[in-house]
Amino acid sequence: MARRRLSDRQKQRIEAIQQRRRQRLEERAQQALTTADADSPREGVVITRHGQTLVIRGDERSLHHCLCRQNIGHPVCGDRVVWQPMPSNQGVVTALLERTTSLARPVYSGEHRALAANLSQLVVVLAPAPEPNSYLLDQHLIAAEGMGVSALIAVNKKDLFSGEESAAFEQAFGHYRDIGYPIVWVSAKYEHGLDPLIGQLRDKTSILVGQSGVGKSSLIKALLPDIKIQIGRLSDASGLGKHTTSATTLYDLPQGGQLIDSPGVRSFRLGQLDRPQLEQGFREFRPYLGHCRFADCSHDQEPGCALIEAVGNGLIAPQRLIHFRHLAAGLPDL
């Protein structure tokens, strides 16, 4: 169902309501600061956020329920922040530290708002059903390139692939490995069936994306056998109760690394780009960009196109150039 477009008057009304809420929350945060220890600012990481309630992990991995000053921006899961401790294991977030990366999605106003910060890896999950879609895969990989994070392709439910289906998958998707994207085959049905993925998650902050039905939620549960314990600790720290499971949350992986679970990116799609950004999103295009005969080459039918020549020489997969052209056709005219 298409999202209903809001009128200017409705947008103004919503903004007025939100402004009043922000003012009340700022008053609460300012009042809380009067009881905070001004001599002991601390750094921490946002583990989860629900509205203006944040759970911050501080020193010694302790969790703290914090309010947030309105004038510092919009801290999200994964952000590094400065916070002031208060009595009763609570605090106030007073500064947002610089982000290395940010994953965003559009909101009702049309602007993009961050969902998670300081990611280092995007894991695109595929499975035998729904049938793997290379066009959607390319959109996820372009997003990873745009954010400046590494990308990994995880083929889930390996146990459901026949030998012929596995060979067909490799024929259709094996070139991604040649481009530089690792491909791991996993299954929660086998003992050690998740080991290839666990090895790739270690020492990274990762998030899982992919089509509905590929088993992302099942993978998260299998990768986090203590997830109920972690959720319980978060719930105790935040007082959010059942809302803890509906907010973007950072979890510690038992074998090392961190995993962000976000309902907001389970159907994550590519955001708005310009043509240069789109070109850079195809990493194997980069050696050929700027070498076309025409400076404004659209990489479609122009003579002397370096990308078309690279496809003819087997250096670029034809399907990748087709996908680029389709995405480029949908770019807004600037």
Side-chain angles (χ1 to χ4, degrees):
M1 180 181 297
R3 180 174 295 178
R4 183 170 62 90
R5 189 181 298 273
L6 297 176
S7 67
D8 290 340
R9 185 172 181 179
Q10 287 173 317
K11 290 180 181 179
Q12 292 172 359
R13 210 160 134 204
I14 292 171
E15 177 58 31
I17 293 171
Q18 292 180 339
Q19 180 60 36
R20 289 195 295 271
R21 289 175 179 170
R22 287 193 290 264
Q23 182 62 36
R24 287 196 296 269
L25 289 166
E26 176 63 17
E27 290 172 358
R28 285 177 57 197
Q30 186 62 40
Q31 184 178 10
L33 275 174
T34 62
T35 63
D37 184 352
D39 295 327
S40 58
R42 304 177 186 181
E43 289 191 18
V45 176
V46 179
I47 301 302
T48 191
R49 174 177 187 148
H50 184 78
Q52 293 300 314
T53 299
L54 289 80
V55 176
I56 305 299
R57 184 171 65 200
D59 299 335
E60 300 178 357
R61 309 189 75 77
S62 55
L63 299 177
H64 305 270
H65 172 208
C66 290
L67 298 174
C68 180
R69 293 294 306 271
Q70 294 297 304
N71 61 350
I72 68 168
H74 186 79
V76 296
C77 176
D79 264 323
R80 295 177 299 113
V81 297
V82 176
W83 65 286
Q84 293 282 150
M86 293 166 43
S88 304
N89 201 39
Q90 295 185 344
V92 177
V93 175
T94 57
L96 176 62
L97 300 180
E98 185 177 0
R99 294 169 176 163
T100 57
T101 60
S102 175
L103 177 63
R105 69 172 179 179
V107 294
Y108 78 92
S109 63
E111 64 179 345
H112 282 68
R113 177 169 294 178
L115 275 176
N118 299 319
L119 297 166
S120 56
Q121 181 170 247
L122 194 72
V123 181
V124 187
V125 183
L126 306 178
E131 184 177 353
N133 185 318
S134 61
Y135 183 66
L136 293 178
L137 171 60
D138 281 345
Q139 292 186 59
H140 287 120
L141 297 179
I142 294 165
E145 296 292 337
M147 286 188 289
V149 303
S150 61
L152 167 72
I153 301 170
V155 188
N156 193 24
K157 305 179 184 180
K158 176 184 177 182
D159 52 296
L160 299 181
F161 279 90
S162 66
E164 291 182 356
E165 289 170 334
S166 297
F169 180 92
E170 283 292 343
Q171 184 174 5
F173 292 86
H175 61 276
Y176 287 98
R177 191 182 293 109
D178 299 331
I179 296 171
Y181 298 111
I183 301 176
V184 296
W185 292 73
V186 296
S187 173
K189 298 290 185 181
Y190 301 140
E191 186 177 6
H192 304 297
L194 297 181
D195 286 359
L197 178 56
I198 290 171
Q200 293 284 347
L201 298 177
R202 190 173 291 119
D203 300 325
K204 298 183 180 73
T205 300
S206 305
I207 192 163
L208 273 57
V209 299
Q211 293 172 269
S212 177
V214 294
K216 297 185 294 295
S217 296
S218 297
L219 274 179
I220 289 170
K221 291 178 182 177
L223 291 166
L224 295 166
D226 65 339
I227 188 170
K228 290 185 177 179
I229 296 174
Q230 293 197 50
I231 289 175
R233 291 182 63 219
L234 291 173
S235 180
D236 290 343
S238 65
L240 291 177
K242 64 181 180 180
H243 296 296
T244 305
T245 57
S246 63
T248 299
T249 304
L250 186 148
Y251 297 103
D252 290 320
L253 291 163
Q255 294 85 359
Q258 297 172 316
L259 187 63
I260 291 179
D261 181 24
S262 174
V265 299
R266 287 174 184 165
S267 58
F268 173 69
R269 291 292 182 270
L270 187 63
Q272 190 172 5
L273 300 173
D274 58 29
R275 179 175 285 273
Q277 290 172 324
L278 180 60
E279 290 175 337
Q280 290 295 324
F282 290 79
R283 59 166 59 174
E284 74 275 32
F285 288 10
R286 295 171 190 168
Y288 310 102
L289 296 175
H291 295 281
C292 297
R293 181 182 302 176
F294 303 106
D296 60 348
C297 184
S298 66
H299 316 305
D300 191 1
Q301 299 179 357
E302 296 91 339
C305 173
L307 294 184
I308 294 176
E309 291 178 3
V311 170
N313 293 328
L315 301 173
I316 292 176
Q319 197 68 24
R320 290 273 284 176
L321 184 55
I322 291 172
H323 291 168
F324 166 81
R325 290 169 177 163
H326 190 276
L327 290 165
L331 294 177
D333 294 328
L334 300 179

